Amino acid sequence: MLSIISLSIFGIVNLFLGFLKSRRILLPATLLFLIVALILNSMDWNQQALYFGDMLRVNNVFVNFAGIVLITALLIVGISRHFGNDEEHTHPAEYYAILLFSVTGALMMIGFENLIMLFVGVEVLSVAMYVLTGTDKRNIRSNEAALKYFLMGSFATGLLLFGVAMVYGATGSFKLGGIASYVQMASMYGAVSPLLYVGLLFLFIGMLFKVSAAPFHFWTPDVYEGAPTIFTAFMSTVVKTAGFAAFYKIASTAFAGVYGFWAQSLAVMAVLTLLIGNITAAYQGSFKRMMAYSSISHAGYLLLAVVAKVPSSQSAILFYSLSYSLATVAAFGVLMAVSESRQFEGRGDDRYEAFNGLAKTNPLLAFVLTVSMLSLAGIPLTAGFWGKFFIFSAAVQANLTSLLVIAVLMSCVGIYYYFRVIIAMYLKPAEGEGISVSAGFTLTLVLTTVLTLLLGVFPDVVKNIF
Amino acid sequence: MQNQILYVWYLLTAVTILAALLVVLAKNPIHSVLSLVVTFFCLSAHYVLLNAQFLAVVNIIVYAGAIMVLFLFVIMFLNLREYTEETKSNFAKLGAAVVGGVTLVAIIAALKKVQYPMPMRYDVRTGFVETLGEVLFRDYLLPFELVTVLFFVAMVGAVMLGKREKGERHF
């Protein structure tokens, strides 16, 4: 609870820091704010509490998910050396402030106990993302991405709100507990109001749009490609973690009584997401676009855990979000460094060819990217392997054999496109000279790599906490 | 008395739906906006029928008043009349019609099967400002405060994106 309050105040403080002449203070200040929020968050450990008339529930699950979101935000701020190359057209104070506010929204989505809180959280996070997508004002792709994201995102929010209204109409409650007890009673007597079913589907569609699951993924590639890379990294990690935290919470508590109804449609969507994400990713020529489709495919694996809805699903989702976030931040960090120094057709090069021979010019960056790709592909000794392992074992417990076969096949497809960039780095001849990166940037990237390998070798360290 | 209220309700609902349809179907954007204003007024009348007077007034002031005037300003500034409608492929039209139709049928079917509970009691004070304030500042205090973060983000974002940078031309 304190972390939410403190982050919303820190955001305002950050805006005022923007008045200072020197912009150097902004990055350390934001890091400090996030660390303070992380400490305040971990103070809530083992405290079961409901705040403000059952609006927000703080328990260990909240602390875990919030911890992942805050650590990811920390790492992303760590690699945000300077926003854009020219000093005159950037507003770092505003960027950092909106980033902090969006983390507030993410925490609301994780801890909500009332659908109103869910809605406010989703909106804070989404509005912040619409703005950050369009921050590269002179780039027409960024403008296009922001407008597209805004229009489609507000439509999805409308559906979410419509769903909330119908669920309220059927159950007479906004609270998760109230909805859950209605659903249980009504399904026992076989008298579930049809409004609940329609409302539930609308609510799920709204949420699935935010985590970019198929068939609501059409915005993802364009928005991820158009947005500045640093914000793409933020979008594909923090938004996805918070979105799945909220989605699993609402599906497993409020609508647990009608599991048979939503599990079917979610299973179909999980298969669609896996197929579309992985197969389309294999056809991409741009690394950034491939990462967009790869993020769709990871939403598919996470959906698998939601469909399973066994007690171990929760910790599987937690572990997967953590490993996915670490690897994604590393991948986008290296992409940022590479595409800033290598130009193609007048803008940063984000094709696979940009990575040619990176192992000879910058062995460290190449190694970081290799580990991140191996983790995303789910190769043993990386965190991604255990993430997939826990998700698949949750699916085994729920007897989802056919879904599991598709998921395993699709992760084989994943290996193909993740290895393309590794091949480009190690086997292709080098073009251009080495890339110079700052110490803080390298340190953050090395940190993600170390964490990924550590979790790959000793998954129990974190798994015991979740 | 009951019957008269029912007639008023039928009339209002018919006008609401017609106006809402006109918003979508009108070729001229100004006609669209004006029928949206009519829709908002009809919705406000519905609020009055539902014993929510404060909400009705706020709806007229904020939506029909402020936001719609803004819409009109923008449309008049941009002079959208020269804008030619971009043609969509038949496949997309068919897909949209199928999806929209299925959603409509699903919602109508759900609404037809619902059994509406009778209201427990009629309290004339339900829609008063005092009652609303009590609910807002006691039960919904946290979301009420956190919505400020939402507005703040929107404001900061709008200013940042809309600000004229050095070297850009004036409009």
Side-chain angles (χ1 to χ4, degrees):
Chain A
M1 184 66 224
L2 273 177
S3 48
I4 291 183
I5 298 173
S6 63
L7 274 174
S8 31
I9 295 169
F10 288 153
I12 300 170
V13 173
N14 226 332
L15 278 178
F16 280 104
L17 286 180
F19 286 129
L20 296 176
K21 271 268 188 301
S22 166
R23 289 174 166 186
R24 292 185 174 201
I25 195 172
L26 282 167
L27 177 65
T30 313
L31 284 176
L32 179 76
F33 293 155
L34 283 169
I35 289 170
V36 170
L38 195 61
I39 292 168
L40 289 173
N41 177 52
S42 48
M43 272 161 52
D44 283 331
W45 183 254
N46 273 339
Q47 305 223 325
Q48 303 280 340
L50 277 169
Y51 288 99
F52 291 98
D54 298 1
M55 281 293 159
L56 197 84
R57 181 188 291 279
V58 171
N59 51 15
N60 286 356
V61 180
F62 173 84
V63 176
N64 283 331
F65 270 118
I68 294 177
V69 164
L70 286 167
I71 289 170
T72 316
L74 258 172
L75 292 173
I76 289 171
V77 172
I79 57 171
S80 68
R81 298 161 298 165
H82 47 86
F83 288 116
N85 282 324
D86 58 331
E87 280 280 301
E88 278 183 16
H89 296 92
T90 49
H91 308 277
E94 281 85 347
Y95 300 163
Y96 284 126
I98 292 177
L99 219 64
L100 288 180
F101 286 136
S102 68
V103 175
T104 318
L107 296 196
M108 282 188 246
M109 281 169 76
I110 293 166
F112 78 99
E113 195 62 21
N114 191 309
L115 293 183
I116 303 275
M117 284 297 289
L118 172 71
F119 171 70
V120 176
V122 166
E123 267 303 82
V124 171
L125 190 58
S126 313
V127 170
M129 284 302 113
Y130 307 149
V131 174
L132 291 180
T133 308
T135 44
D136 195 0
K137 278 196 262 182
R138 302 207 281 182
N139 181 354
I140 194 137
R141 280 164 179 266
S142 174
N143 297 347
E144 183 211 347
L147 192 65
K148 200 176 251 180
Y149 195 16
F150 172 64
L151 288 177
M152 299 185 93
S154 32
F155 190 69
T157 312
L159 280 183
L160 178 82
L161 207 53
F162 203 7
V164 170
M166 283 198 269
V167 168
Y168 181 74
T171 63
S173 176
F174 283 128
K175 293 178 182 170
L176 289 186
I179 297 168
S181 59
Y182 166 86
V183 169
Q184 215 142 42
M185 287 291 286
S187 58
M188 208 187 293
Y189 295 114
V192 180
S193 166
L195 261 190
L196 182 93
Y197 289 134
V198 180
L200 183 156
L201 281 182
F202 274 43
L203 217 164
F204 276 19
I205 289 171
M207 292 302 296
L208 286 169
F209 176 90
K210 300 289 174 198
V211 298
S212 66
F216 315 108
H217 65 284
F218 290 101
W219 59 277
T220 319
D222 291 343
V223 171
Y224 277 31
E225 200 185 11
T229 309
I230 182 88
F231 300 130
T232 311
F234 193 81
M235 225 183 286
S236 58
T237 51
V238 169
V239 178
K240 199 148 286 188
T241 308
F244 266 101
F247 189 53
Y248 184 71
K249 185 170 194 171
I250 197 163
S252 66
T253 56
F255 298 121
V258 285
Y259 172 71
F261 173 74
W262 56 260
Q264 290 288 330
S265 41
L266 268 195
V268 173
M269 284 184 213
V271 170
L272 261 182
T273 312
L274 284 168
L275 288 176
I276 291 175
N278 281 302
I279 293 174
T280 325
Y283 283 105
Q284 299 306 316
S286 145
F287 179 73
K288 207 172 173 186
R289 235 177 141 76
M290 182 279 277
M291 284 303 288
Y293 280 105
S294 123
S295 96
I296 296 174
S297 77
H298 288 286
Y301 296 117
L302 284 162
L303 265 183
L304 204 62
V306 179
V307 176
K309 201 182 83 72
V310 285
S312 64
S313 286
Q314 180 113 51
S315 67
I317 291 175
L318 270 164
F319 197 92
Y320 200 94
S321 310
L322 182 59
S323 67
Y324 168 75
S325 299
L326 287 174
T328 308
V329 170
F332 279 117
V334 176
L335 172 68
M336 249 170 73
V338 169
S339 71
E340 261 172 32
S341 66
R342 295 187 182 171
Q343 296 282 317
F344 177 69
E345 290 179 350
R347 54 194 178 87
D349 192 356
D350 50 19
R351 299 168 307 150
Y352 285 110
E353 284 78 9
F355 293 92
N356 280 355
L358 193 69
K360 294 185 190 74
T361 56
N362 294 69
L364 185 66
L365 284 186
F367 178 69
V368 166
L369 189 56
T370 306
V371 172
S372 129
M373 287 297 115
L374 293 179
S375 180
L376 286 176
I379 306 293
L381 291 184
T382 57
F385 169 73
W386 291 107
K388 283 211 171 61
F389 177 79
F390 293 135
I391 294 254
F392 289 169
S393 55
V396 169
Q397 282 174 33
N399 280 327
L400 298 169
T401 325
S402 48
L403 272 179
L404 200 62
V405 171
I406 293 170
V408 172
L409 277 179
M410 283 303 120
S411 50
C412 296
V413 176
I415 293 174
Y416 164 71
Y417 57 80
Y418 289 127
F419 270 64
R420 265 177 78 180
V421 68
I422 299 180
I423 290 169
M425 284 190 301
Y426 284 91
L427 302 179
K428 299 271 172 69
E431 298 167 3
E433 61 259 39
I435 300 156
S436 61
V437 286
S438 67
F441 185 81
T442 318
L443 188 74
T444 318
L445 287 187
V446 170
L447 192 67
T448 59
T449 308
V450 169
L451 281 174
T452 303
L453 291 175
L454 207 66
L455 288 180
V457 183
F458 307 108
D460 284 351
V461 178
V462 176
K463 185 73 176 159
N464 288 340
I465 304 173
F466 291 161
Chain B
M1 191 61 193
Q2 280 288 337
N3 271 335
Q4 283 155 0
I5 291 176
L6 205 64
Y7 292 143
V8 170
W9 183 82
Y10 273 123
L11 184 72
L12 272 175
T13 311
V15 175
T16 316
I17 292 175
L18 279 178
L21 277 177
L22 209 62
V23 176
V24 190
L25 297 176
K27 289 274 180 215
N28 189 336
I30 294 185
H31 293 171
S32 243
V33 172
L34 289 178
S35 26
L36 197 55
V37 174
V38 176
T39 317
F40 280 136
F41 270 99
C42 292
L43 283 181
S44 288
H46 275 104
Y47 287 145
V48 173
L49 283 185
L50 288 168
N51 195 14
Q53 304 88 340
F54 180 70
L55 210 58
V57 175
V58 169
N59 191 42
I60 286 178
I61 294 174
V62 175
Y63 282 91
I67 293 180
M68 282 301 114
V69 170
L70 202 69
F71 267 41
L72 274 179
F73 267 132
V74 169
I75 286 171
M76 284 168 177
F77 270 130
L78 291 182
N79 199 10
L80 282 180
R81 216 169 292 181
E82 293 154 23
Y83 173 77
T84 46
E85 207 172 312
E86 135 185 40
T87 45
K88 295 238 163 33
S89 72
N90 278 335
F91 183 71
K93 278 183 188 165
L94 185 74
V98 169
V99 171
V102 168
T103 317
L104 183 71
V105 169
I107 292 175
I108 289 177
L111 286 176
K112 268 193 75 140
K113 278 184 75 181
V114 170
Q115 288 166 337
Y116 297 98
M118 287 301 288
M120 290 299 174
R121 61 194 161 77
Y122 177 78
D123 184 0
V124 81
R125 295 175 47 83
T126 307
F128 282 16
V129 190
E130 291 100 313
T131 327
L132 192 73
E134 269 173 28
V135 173
L136 205 56
F137 291 109
R138 198 184 52 214
D139 300 343
Y140 291 91
L141 180 65
L142 186 64
F144 178 78
E145 292 294 342
L146 285 175
V147 159
T148 53
V149 176
L150 173 60
F151 289 149
F152 204 60
V153 170
M155 249 171 5
V156 171
V159 170
M160 192 180 76
L161 290 183
K163 196 178 154 210
R164 191 171 57 84
E165 303 287 351
K166 272 180 200 160
E168 277 179 20
R169 65 193 172 88
H170 287 280
F171 282 103

